Amino acid sequence: TVEELQTALESFDGCALRKTATNLVFTDGNPDAPVLLIGEGPGAEEDRQGLPFVGPSGKLLDKMLASIGLDRSGVLISNIVFWRPPGNRTPTPQEAAVCMPFVERLIELVDPRVLVALGGPAAKSLLAQTDGVGRLRGKWFSYSTPGLPRPIEATALYHPAYLLRSPGQKRPTWRDLLEIKNKLRAGE
Ligand code: URA
């Protein structure tokens, strides 16, 4: 279960970020939800509370979800690394690689209808693409692992922290959110 995976992470020593972080930040929301959102890594507020997306970008993420009728009871939220990178730097490829087996297992356990990468670093590692998020958003990919019964439809959104700095990108993000809503509705 997701809870057991968290217990395993609590005793996992393989990620150096753990040494500088206050708390493990794993998931928030509903493990049975049809939507799994994966961000880049915890920030200061997330590190304090031990929950993903509870700072300023989390507030915007909640608004983005509300715009398509979702809240945290209808999604599960996590990150590609589970401890805060010092100074909020981007996780190194090695830090992301060490956490990736846990991310993959999380995706298998949740087996969502739609997988959404938030921002460039999450999009690159989850979708195995080299393009930036500006080229990946608005497109659909197929995410598969040997442990999944079938491939999962996956896409990317601009990171909410980026949208706070570049509000002009909210318009295309609104279209992307509607596409996600449509995918969910199509499979009902
Ligand atoms: N940004 C992220 O990518 N993840 C969080 O949990 C918070 C901010």
Side-chain angles (χ1 to χ4, degrees):
T1 65
V2 172
E3 215 174 308
E4 287 163 337
L5 191 58
Q6 165 145 358
T7 305
L9 261 177
E10 278 160 3
S11 55
F12 175 66
D13 249 347
C15 183
L17 291 175
R18 185 186 171 137
K19 293 195 196 70
T20 48
T22 307
N23 281 303
L24 167 70
V25 177
F26 189 38
T27 65
D28 192 24
N30 177 0
D32 298 319
V35 184
L36 176 57
L37 300 141
I38 308 273
E40 171 176 336
E45 192 54 35
E46 289 77 20
D47 184 45
R48 247 190 305 277
Q49 294 190 36
L51 288 170
F53 283 98
V54 289
S57 52
K59 301 251 166 5
L60 179 55
L61 180 61
D62 286 337
K63 286 190 201 161
M64 291 160 65
L65 293 173
S67 77
I68 51 167
L70 291 171
D71 61 20
R72 292 191 187 211
S73 68
V75 302
L76 190 71
I77 306 176
S78 190
N79 284 298
I80 57 166
V81 299
F82 311 114
W83 294 271
R84 181 194 184 200
N88 294 346
R89 63 167 171 73
T90 304
T92 64
Q94 195 221 349
E95 287 158 357
V98 157
C99 292
M100 190 46 72
F102 292 91
V103 178
E104 281 181 13
R105 191 69 192 124
L106 178 66
I107 297 169
E108 290 173 0
L109 287 168
V110 176
D111 188 12
R113 296 256 317 285
V114 171
L115 175 66
V116 182
L118 297 169
K124 281 181 201 182
S125 29
L126 290 173
L127 308 175
Q129 300 288 320
T130 50
D131 279 339
V133 65
R135 285 178 177 277
L136 299 176
R137 58 148 289 273
K139 296 182 184 152
W140 287 90
F141 298 84
S142 171
Y143 179 90
S144 39
T145 67
L148 279 169
R150 80 204 85 77
I152 294 171
E153 298 206 77
T155 190
L157 291 174
Y158 282 122
H159 195 288
Y162 171 73
L163 294 175
L164 288 171
R165 298 191 302 271
S166 310
Q169 302 296 345
K170 284 183 180 174
R171 187 184 290 269
T173 302
W174 165 243
R175 288 200 302 269
D176 297 343
L177 285 163
L178 286 178
E179 281 299 310
I180 292 170
K181 186 184 184 183
N182 285 339
K183 281 275 180 209
L184 292 169
R185 205 188 262 151
E188 258 167 17

